[in-house]
Amino acid sequence: QVQVVESGGGLVQAGGSLRLSCTGSGLIFDDYAVGWFRQAPGKEREGVSCITWSGDSTDYTDSVKGRFTISRDNAKSTVYLQMNSMKPEDTAMYYCASSSYYSGNYCLAKMRDFDYWGQGTQVTVSS
């Protein structure tokens, strides 16, 4: 059974930092691209970032460029999202998902291309 589990969410003040983790089991995690997505109350889910299976290529939505960094440790079957200089508008439920679609050297954080999803971890940024 494939499972993708997020952790690391919480409450942080504006300007602060959090690191989210995404761990995969039941699949060869390092064969898959992994993406982070978020959904704020009353808004559609949006792509935040993704990283290829090798970690050589990443993608970020414009609103987080320069503030968020995605990385992975395949030995631990874990992908991280380091979030710095956080803003109240970063408040959302954050989801991790794996993708068998991106087998090459690029990825795009588009929901339709991701297969297995976690249950999410809540991130709240206070002003």
Side-chain angles (χ1 to χ4, degrees):
Q1 182 180 359
V2 176
Q3 279 193 315
V4 177
V5 180
E6 306 93 337
S7 62
L11 174 64
V12 64
Q13 289 188 331
S17 299
L18 278 176
R19 189 178 79 160
L20 305 183
S21 298
C22 170
T23 301
S25 62
L27 73 168
I28 304 173
F29 202 60
D30 56 0
D31 284 351
Y32 291 77
V34 173
W36 284 99
F37 302 82
R38 65 186 180 186
Q39 187 167 19
K43 295 188 177 182
E44 292 187 351
R45 194 173 298 188
E46 64 170 348
V48 175
S49 181
C50 69
I51 187 167
T52 55
W53 66 272
S54 64
D56 287 344
S57 182
T58 59
D59 178 53
Y60 297 93
T61 191
D62 286 346
S63 62
V64 307
K65 285 180 180 177
R67 301 189 298 121
F68 290 11
T69 302
I70 192 170
S71 62
R72 67 189 301 158
D73 183 344
N74 286 339
K76 297 181 179 180
S77 296
T78 301
V79 171
Y80 304 98
L81 185 68
Q82 178 67 44
M83 304 184 292
N84 298 329
S85 302
M86 296 186 73
K87 305 176 181 180
E89 50 264 43
D90 294 321
T91 295
M93 184 71 80
Y94 281 71
Y95 299 90
C96 172
S98 63
S99 171
S100 58
Y101 178 78
Y102 294 108
S103 58
N105 205 29
Y106 85 101
C107 66
L108 296 174
K110 295 183 182 297
M111 288 176 54
R112 65 172 186 264
D113 297 333
F114 286 78
D115 311 307
Y116 298 106
W117 291 79
Q119 295 299 306
T121 185
Q122 178 66 40
V123 171
T124 303
V125 185
S126 63
S127 57

